Amino acid sequence: MSIQEKKPSEGVPTETPADITAQAPASDAPAKPKRNRSRRIALMLLVPAVLIGVGAALKLTPLGSVLDEGWIDTYVRGEGIRGELIFLGAGALFTAVGLSRQAVAFMAGYAFGVVLGAVISVVAAALGCVMTFFVARFLARDLVAHRFPDKLRRMDAFLSENTFTTTLLIRFLPVGSNVLTNMLAGVSRAHPVPFVAGSAIGYIPQMLIFSLVGSGFAVEPGARLVVSVILFAASGVLGVWLYRRYRDSHRLLNAGVVDASDVGASEAAEK
């Protein structure tokens, strides 16, 4: 007795797996990646647009003369708290977009004297550091990661173990880009508090030196020279101590903080 195959009833269409797949509603899954991609592109375009806008403002408006002697005399010196806040805001903005923090310290010394000038310039540079850090973290993450993948990987590894100490090392060494370091740290896993704290403390020696120089003849020139040499020496000693602490693990060179030419051929050979 054979078992006969059951034939489909006439007039009733049969459906194959391909037909079922074709009839299934289109998935909305690709829509989300597409939206995310559009958002990333928009953010990548926003950051250069902001930088171009800042550059145009500096070129075409009175902002371009900010932090020169005439502007300091007009808007800052003798203006009390108002002048200090104006200088603080301008210095933070300028250091955030990559202008020299040493120039900010020099003009702060001219405007406020050695001690207050150093304090205000350190605070301004720290605020600029915060601004760049969080812009990179929340707005320019993809842009920075795409533009500097190797540096980001090495900096992330360098800052991950002891962010405060390694940031001090970076700031004490007279090499590297301040704004690029802030951007890379913002995209890395570094916690903002120890990074900004280490940066602020690491800024102090150079800011104090340039504030001292900018103070002009308020301090006797010979005394300014002696204090500057002492501060440079102290900063160098701290930098060497931190460098030796991390030298054996190769973190300094691998992080791209310095090159072999910066540390010398003999020290590079030890690595």
Side-chain angles (χ1 to χ4, degrees):
M1 185 176 190
S2 62
I3 300 176
Q4 296 181 351
E5 294 180 358
K6 185 178 181 180
K7 295 183 180 179
S9 302
E10 294 182 1
V12 179
T14 60
E15 293 183 341
T16 65
D19 296 330
I20 296 174
T21 303
Q23 294 174 8
S27 175
D28 294 334
K32 186 173 182 181
K34 186 175 181 180
R35 289 194 298 270
N36 291 339
R37 184 163 57 251
S38 299
R39 179 174 176 270
R40 288 196 299 267
I41 293 173
L43 291 176
M44 291 175 66
L45 294 175
L46 175 63
V47 175
V50 171
L51 295 177
I52 292 172
V54 171
L58 294 176
K59 183 70 175 178
L60 302 176
T61 70
L63 287 174
S65 61
V66 171
L67 298 185
D68 69 3
E69 184 178 349
W71 185 86
I72 294 293
D73 290 337
T74 302
Y75 297 103
V76 176
R77 296 187 77 176
E79 295 295 324
I81 298 295
R82 176 177 176 273
E84 294 169 5
L85 292 177
I86 290 174
F87 186 94
L88 190 63
L93 177 61
F94 277 32
T95 55
V97 298
L99 274 69
S100 169
R101 67 178 186 271
Q102 291 85 355
V104 173
F106 182 90
M107 296 311 300
Y110 171 77
F112 307 111
V114 179
V115 177
L116 183 57
V119 171
I120 290 179
S121 61
V122 168
V123 174
L127 290 175
C129 173
V130 171
M131 293 167 64
T132 308
F133 183 97
F134 284 109
V135 166
R137 175 154 293 187
F138 295 113
L139 294 179
R141 175 179 294 274
D142 292 336
L143 178 64
V144 175
H146 177 74
R147 181 67 179 82
F148 308 102
D150 294 333
K151 290 185 177 181
L152 174 59
R153 176 178 53 81
R154 294 193 295 264
M155 186 65 74
D156 182 67
F158 185 65
L159 294 174
S160 61
E161 182 176 341
N162 190 330
T163 303
F164 179 80
T165 303
T166 50
T167 302
L168 272 178
L169 170 56
I170 294 172
R171 300 310 189 185
F172 282 142
L173 293 174
V175 291
S177 167
N178 178 57
V179 68
L180 180 58
T181 299
N182 296 340
M183 292 173 65
L184 292 173
V187 180
S188 74
R189 294 170 294 173
H191 194 279
V193 173
F195 177 76
V196 174
S199 295
I201 296 175
Y203 288 151
I204 292 175
Q206 286 191 30
M207 304 304 257
L208 186 56
I209 291 167
F210 280 88
S211 180
L212 183 63
V213 175
S215 64
F217 295 102
V219 181
E220 196 275 325
R224 293 206 309 270
L225 178 61
V226 171
V227 174
S228 298
V229 170
I230 292 174
L231 289 173
F232 266 124
S235 177
V237 169
L238 286 172
V240 169
W241 177 78
L242 290 169
Y243 167 72
R244 289 179 176 175
R245 178 175 178 178
Y246 289 94
R247 180 177 56 186
D248 294 337
S249 62
H250 297 192
R251 289 192 180 94
L252 191 59
L253 285 175
N254 290 337
V257 179
V258 297
D259 297 324
S261 59
D262 292 325
V263 299
S266 60
E267 290 179 332
E270 294 178 5
K271 299 180 182 302

